[in-house]
């Protein structure tokens, strides 16, 4: 049964600022849910804290609004517990690349099948515009008294180095590009990052406006092939990673690319590793019979305790 | 204090030297019950830690109950560790300060050790041997430096036994060094007149999962040790009894509790003394438990919460520092009414504290952990049997009341190893029933699903993520019944009251034995001892008929009815392994009753039965506070 955008409306109205890029991301998320054909009841959007992280409340799918910096572990927990669920994360750049950066890097070691849609606007908007980890050094935005004293990180390079198997960049006012990338990410098996450069008209108008994006962002060359075609070919994996990192390293902060940089459907995902140990899907395991009597078989455990 | 039947003594006198008769007397408790303490020790990494398990298993196979404890430094190789096994015919829950016999093969174990600054690291174990006790030492240790004329010293040539075995089995000498533990155990067992065949069988069983080469080497060492002891007089004839028991450690008990409850995801970050619980579960994939070790305790508790929201029973196991890192998510679980099970195997704190030593210092933290007001349950099992049952119960409570449940263990229980009757384990398993509370599939005829539906008792129907009939919203922000963010003051009041009235429901539904235990009759006792957690073991073993004990198992919400017992008691004393008398403070804040006397221990070592007995007597004689310092 086909669903429409209207079906995906929740009865909550968003309270984002007029012109906020989050509205474009919200529309793209709904489009992607429809276009990828996932079951809304089996879809979960996990978020952190900040403007971006209010998003789950505005979509008629399951929404888990967690803590600042922690959506990744929550999402991993959901997916490991019930591998049938589609698990998306919408959170901010402060959340993901600042307070939660340890999870951001470490999640790649497990390659759990979760999708990170990071609303990246260079500022902590909800706390009135402080510098986030992606704001270039020396940049003065409205919410800080002096130009940013910290240098930025490049989340895409970090993601590729850490082991993300799908790495892309887009921007919040380009709903079509976002939708296409999100659908690809959802269909991809493994951990995916889409860094979404997000317009923040209130605290970072100068560097995140629609016109700034159209002047400074260019799509990756149409000949650029981000996909590892033979997932078991280590050499090809390395070449595709190097190709992506080279473009990213050569980018200037005022001339960046959008599109899919790297995709490797690495069959060694966490679900497979757990299944290889004989550990079935937790949600599918009966833990007791109708009377509540535990069903676990402790025979082997008791054997190890025997003297 | 000890008496053997005169006739028996006469016969024995005829057979043995006076000295040995006294030793036999010491090996029996009152009423001629076998009850003795064995000790060994050595450098960490030398294999000596396996001696505790080997000796315990020999004793258990021989039909006795054991209570074993290990004390070690936060170090991998080289520092001194020691091991105590108490062996008895009756159920025992504690150990004593002095050993009836001991075996050591390094100078440091016997004489102690100082560091480069001349500070004492430990004082050596000569002082730990009972008068008339027996000490087995390696030939290399200078016997003349041992200033004890009241103990029997037996020397064994450890090196020659190892060397012969290594040659015989064709392994290198350094490789064979690790089998000194077998020399220690077999020489000890010989003195108890255990037959060689039985020892061989026991040792083979202990090493059953090792390569054949390892088993053969250990058996060769056992054989040579036994033969080399042939000229030594045995201390006693330990009759073989017919008791079938298992050998279990505290962390395994927690792991089994989780398994019974249907926990399917265990998440942990390495920390002493908790990690053994998780590694045990990981070693048993047949339990179907996904054991995950992510990057930090922040990740750990997030994964547990995520899994719980998906409708799977999930848990973690940690100790103080890791528990502290989980704080924000515990508060989140309180706010979002998400079931969580956390086992905190407490250790010496604050900060990194004493990583390998015990303490009951997290009680007040566990009760108050997390910003803001929300109900939670804090449980404290005191024995290995209680650890199994309470840990399993924790999952039922977490789901019935939809809140975080903290199980407070400690290093004392976690790393105690003891005999456990198979029937006792089976009874726990057979009587446990999984109760998932209001976990439902949403009925669409009831309209849109409200995760935080306001109900009389504060509990709302909970669905699993992925419910075919509903979507669920969960928010750590204040929320309306749907789970959407709402800051409106009337809604705030209703939701705060919803989350903070669960305690009444919990206290009304839990049974007496889920809340507290009473030992002896407080109405007839001169002294009521109040305690919690691992302190109960030594309390039960130490109290006399005119003393009673109250063990609080449900720490939070506090069972206020216990105040009647306190008010009616002639005299009260708290026994805790912390400096702040934390349970005493908690009882006072919950009931207004101030327990008048204190027995406390905070040197990082567990309470010993005999030191507690002495402290109880001092309290009865009018002292208000006794600090224990047994090492």
């Amino acid at each position: 049964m086909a669903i429409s955008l209207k079906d995906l409306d929740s009865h909550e109205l968003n309270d984002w600022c007029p012109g906020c890029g989050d509205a474009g991301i919200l529309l793209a998320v709904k489009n992607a849910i429809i276009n990828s054909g996932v079951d809304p009841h089996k879809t979960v959007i996990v978020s952190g804290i900040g403007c971006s992280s209010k998003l789950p409340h505005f979509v008629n799918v399951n929404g888990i609004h967690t803590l600042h910096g922690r959506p990744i572990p929550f999402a991993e927990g959901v997916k490991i517990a019930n591998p049938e669920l589609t698990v998306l994360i919408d959170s901010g750049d402060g959340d993901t690349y600042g307070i939660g950066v340890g999870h951001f890097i470490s999640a790649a070691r497990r390659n759990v099948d979760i999708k990170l849609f990071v609303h990246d606007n260079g500022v902590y908007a909800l706390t009135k515009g402080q510098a986030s980890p992606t704001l270039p050094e020396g940049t003065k935005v409205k919410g800080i008294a002096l130009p940013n004293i910290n240098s930025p990180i490049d989340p895409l390079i970090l993601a590729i180095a850490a082991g993300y198997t799908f790495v892309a960049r887009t921007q919040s006012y380009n709903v079509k590009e976002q939708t296409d990338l999100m659908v690809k990410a959802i269909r991809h098996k493994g951990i995916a990052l889409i860094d979404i450069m997000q317009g923040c008209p209130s605290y970072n108008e100068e560097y995140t406006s629609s016109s700034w994006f159209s002047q400074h962002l260019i799509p990756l060359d149409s000949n650029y092939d981000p996909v590892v075609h033979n997932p078991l070919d280590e050499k090809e994996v390395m070449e595709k990673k190097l190709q992506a990192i080279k473009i990213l390293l050569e980018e200037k902060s005022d001339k960046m690319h959008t599109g899919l940089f790297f995709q490797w459907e690495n069959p060694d995902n966490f679900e497979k590793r757990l299944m290889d140990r004989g550990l079935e899907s937790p949600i599918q395991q009966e833990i007791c019979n109708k009377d509540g009597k535990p069903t676990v078989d402790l025979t082997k455990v008791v054997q190890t305790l025997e003297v | 204090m000890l008496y053997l039947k005169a006739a028996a003594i006469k016969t024995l006198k005829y057979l043995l030297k006076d000295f040995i008769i006294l030793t036999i007397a010491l090996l029996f408790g009152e009423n001629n019950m076998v009850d003795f303490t064995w000790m060994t020790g050595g450098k960490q990494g030398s294999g000596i830690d396996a001696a505790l398990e080997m000796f315990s298993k020999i004793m258990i196979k021989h039909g006795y109950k054991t209570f074993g404890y290990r004390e070690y430094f936060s170090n991998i190789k080289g520092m001194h560790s020691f091991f105590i096994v108490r062996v008895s015919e009756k159920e025992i829950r504690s150990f004593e300060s002095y050993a009836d016999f001991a075996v050591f093969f390094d100078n440091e174990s016997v004489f102690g050790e100082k560091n480069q600054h001349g500070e004492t690291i430990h004082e050596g174990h000569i002082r730990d041997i009972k008068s008339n006790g027996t000490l087995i030492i390696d030939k290399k240790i200078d016997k003349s430096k041992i200033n004890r004329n009241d103990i029997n010293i037996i020397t064994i040539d450890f090196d020659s036994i190892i060397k012969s075995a290594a040659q015989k089995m064709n392994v290198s000498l350094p490789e064979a060094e690790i089998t000194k533990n077998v020399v220690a155990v077999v020489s000890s067992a010989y003195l108890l007149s255990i037959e060689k065949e039985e020892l061989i069988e026991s040792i083979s069983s202990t090493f059953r999962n090792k390569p054949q080469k390892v088993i053969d080497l250990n058996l060769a060492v056992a054989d040579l040790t036994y033969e080399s002891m042939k000229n030594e007089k045995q201390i006693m004839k330990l009759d073989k009894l017919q008791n079938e028991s298992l050998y279990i450690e505290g962390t395994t008990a927690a792991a089994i509790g989780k398994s019974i409850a249907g926990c399917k995801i265990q998440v942990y970050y390495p920390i002493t003394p908790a990690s053994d619980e998780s590694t045990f579960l990981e070693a048993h994939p047949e339990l179907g438990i996904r054991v995950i070790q992510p990057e930090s305790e922040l990740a750990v508790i997030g994964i547990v919460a995520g899994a719980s929201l998906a409708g799977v029973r999930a848990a973690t196991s940690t100790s103080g520092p890791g528990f502290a890192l989980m704080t924000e998510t515990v508060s989140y679980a309180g706010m979002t009414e998400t079931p969580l099970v956390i086992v905190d195997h407490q250790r010496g704190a604050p900060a990194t504290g004493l990583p390998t030593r015990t303490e009951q210092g997290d009680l007040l933290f566990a009760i108050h952990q997390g910003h803001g007001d929300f109900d939670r349950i804090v449980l404290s099992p005191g024995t290995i049997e209680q650890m199994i049952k309470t840990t399993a119960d924790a999952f039922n409570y977490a789901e019935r009341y939809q809140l975080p449940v903290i199980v407070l263990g400690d290093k004392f229980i976690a790393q105690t190893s003891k005999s456990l009757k198979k029937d006792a384990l089976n009874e726990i398993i057979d009587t446990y029933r999984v109760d998932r509370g209001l976990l439902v599939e949403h009925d669409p005829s009831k309209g849109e699903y409200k995760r935080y539906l306001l109900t009389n008792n504060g509990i709302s129907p909970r669905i699993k993520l992925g419910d075919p009939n509903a979507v669920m919203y969960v928010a750590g922000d204040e929320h309306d019944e749907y789970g959407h963010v709402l800051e409106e003051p009337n809604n705030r009041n209703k939701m705060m009251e919803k989350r903070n009235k669960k305690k009444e429901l919990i206290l009304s539904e839990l049974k007496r034995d889920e809340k507290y235990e009473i030992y002896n009759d407080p109405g007839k006792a001169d002294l009521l001892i109040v305690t919690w957690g691992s302190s109960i073991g030594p309390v039960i073993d130490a109290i006399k008929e005119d003393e009673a004990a109250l063990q609080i198992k449900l720490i939070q919400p506090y069972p206020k009815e216990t105040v009647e017992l306190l008010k009616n008691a002639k005299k009260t004393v708290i026994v805790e392994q912390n400096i702040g008398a934390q349970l005493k403070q908690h009882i006072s804040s919950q009931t207004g009753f101030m327990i008048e006397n204190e027995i406390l221990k905070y040197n990082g070592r567990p309470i010993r039965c005999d030191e507690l007995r002495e402290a109880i007597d001092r309290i009865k004689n009018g002292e208000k506070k006794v600090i224990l310092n047994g090492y």
Side-chain angles (χ1 to χ4, degrees), chain B residues 207 209-216:
Chain B
F207 289 100
N209 295 325
K210 300 273 190 221
Q212 192 59 40
K213 196 180 160 189
V214 174
I215 299 173
D216 291 344

Side-chain angles (χ1 to χ4, degrees), chain A residues 183 247 272:
Chain A
V183 170
I247 294 179
K272 180 182 177 292

Side-chain angles (χ1 to χ4, degrees), chain A residues 26-303:
Chain A
L26 174 62
L27 179 56
V29 167
K30 288 179 179 173
N31 283 339
I33 290 170
I34 294 168
N35 295 356
S36 61
V38 294
D39 178 352
H41 281 148
K42 299 228 173 284
T43 302
V44 185
I45 303 177
V46 182
S47 71
I49 291 297
C51 296
S52 62
S53 296
K54 296 180 177 186
L55 185 141
H57 294 285
F58 312 133
V59 189
N60 189 19
V61 300
N62 298 286
I64 309 295
H65 190 171
T66 72
L67 291 164
H68 193 42
R70 313 295 159 224
I72 292 174
F74 274 76
E76 289 179 302
V78 171
K79 185 71 186 179
I80 292 166
N82 185 351
E84 284 179 19
L85 300 176
T86 298
V87 183
L88 315 176
I89 295 176
D90 273 280
S91 63
D93 45 339
D95 208 296
T96 315
Y97 310 141
I99 189 169
V101 72
H103 307 310
F104 173 64
I105 301 297
S106 306
R109 294 171 46 217
R110 284 179 287 280
N111 193 21
V112 177
D113 192 14
I114 55 175
K115 319 299 165 189
L116 282 70
F117 303 157
V118 180
H119 305 214
D120 180 359
N121 58 11
V123 290
Y124 288 82
L126 198 53
T127 51
K128 312 240 180 288
Q130 297 81 5
S132 93
T134 54
L135 190 72
E137 185 185 345
T139 305
K140 166 79 176 78
V141 287
K142 198 169 148 190
I144 50 180
L146 297 170
N148 182 20
I149 199 168
N150 292 308
S151 41
I153 60 168
D154 186 324
L156 284 79
I157 295 176
L158 272 179
I160 292 166
Y164 277 71
T165 53
F166 182 108
V167 178
R169 183 195 281 139
T170 179
Q171 59 104 338
S172 60
Y173 300 112
N174 187 341
V175 174
K176 185 178 178 314
E177 187 183 59
Q178 285 183 82
T179 304
D180 290 347
L181 286 169
M182 286 177 183
V183 170
K184 277 186 186 163
I186 290 169
R187 290 184 175 156
H188 172 80
K189 271 210 162 35
I191 190 163
L193 168 71
I194 304 179
D195 183 78
I196 306 167
M197 300 193 70
Q198 179 225 324
C200 179
S202 295
Y203 290 104
N204 194 5
E205 171 71 5
E206 198 177 344
Y207 301 103
T208 63
S209 66
S210 179
S211 62
W212 192 91
F213 287 157
S214 53
Q215 285 165 38
H216 300 284
L217 298 181
I218 48 164
L220 283 163
D221 192 282
S222 57
N223 293 323
Y224 181 84
D225 180 7
V227 180
V228 175
H229 296 282
N230 180 359
L232 300 175
D233 181 351
E234 287 177 25
K235 191 160 169 275
E236 191 192 357
V237 172
M238 191 186 71
E239 281 166 359
K240 290 281 156 71
K241 281 185 181 175
L242 287 172
Q243 158 190 271
I245 289 172
K246 184 167 188 293
I247 294 179
L248 289 162
L249 281 172
E250 285 170 355
E251 282 181 338
K252 300 271 186 319
S253 61
D254 61 352
K255 208 71 190 169
M256 307 209 291
H257 295 88
T258 61
L260 178 57
F261 284 82
F262 176 69
Q263 184 180 8
W264 171 33
E265 205 143 287
N266 181 0
D268 181 27
N269 59 59
F270 203 57
E271 188 57 27
K272 180 182 177 292
R273 293 179 212 171
L274 291 165
M275 291 298 280
D276 285 350
R277 290 186 169 187
L279 300 167
E280 300 290 327
S281 161
I283 200 78
Q284 299 293 348
Q285 296 185 49
E286 290 290 341
I287 64 170
C288 59
N289 65 19
K290 275 184 188 151
D291 306 326
K293 202 167 162 35
T295 48
V296 69
D297 182 7
L298 286 170
T299 315
K300 276 192 184 167
V301 166
V302 172
Q303 271 169 12

Side-chain angles (χ1 to χ4, degrees), chain B residues 488-557:
Chain B
E488 194 273 328
N490 293 314
N491 177 73
R492 166 70 172 175
N493 280 348
K494 283 179 189 158
M495 287 296 167
M496 283 299 273
E497 288 154 12
K498 176 186 197 300
R499 291 184 295 265
N500 285 278
K501 69 178 173 193
K502 294 177 179 181
K503 56 176 87 63
E504 281 79 34
L505 185 66
I506 295 161
L507 289 172
S508 72
E509 289 189 350
L510 263 57
K511 296 190 195 77
R512 206 275 299 150
D513 67 348
E514 294 172 283
K515 297 178 184 172
Y516 55 92
E517 298 280 358
I518 298 167
Y519 304 88
N520 290 350
D521 184 352
K524 291 181 184 156
D526 293 335
L527 178 69
L528 178 60
I529 299 167
V530 184
T531 193
W532 64 286
S534 66
S535 299
I536 191 62
V539 168
I540 299 171
D541 285 354
I543 55 173
K544 293 179 179 167
E545 276 179 17
D546 59 351
E547 295 150 3
L550 169 65
Q551 178 200 1
I552 306 298
K553 290 157 84 180
L554 178 66
I555 306 282
Q556 181 71 12

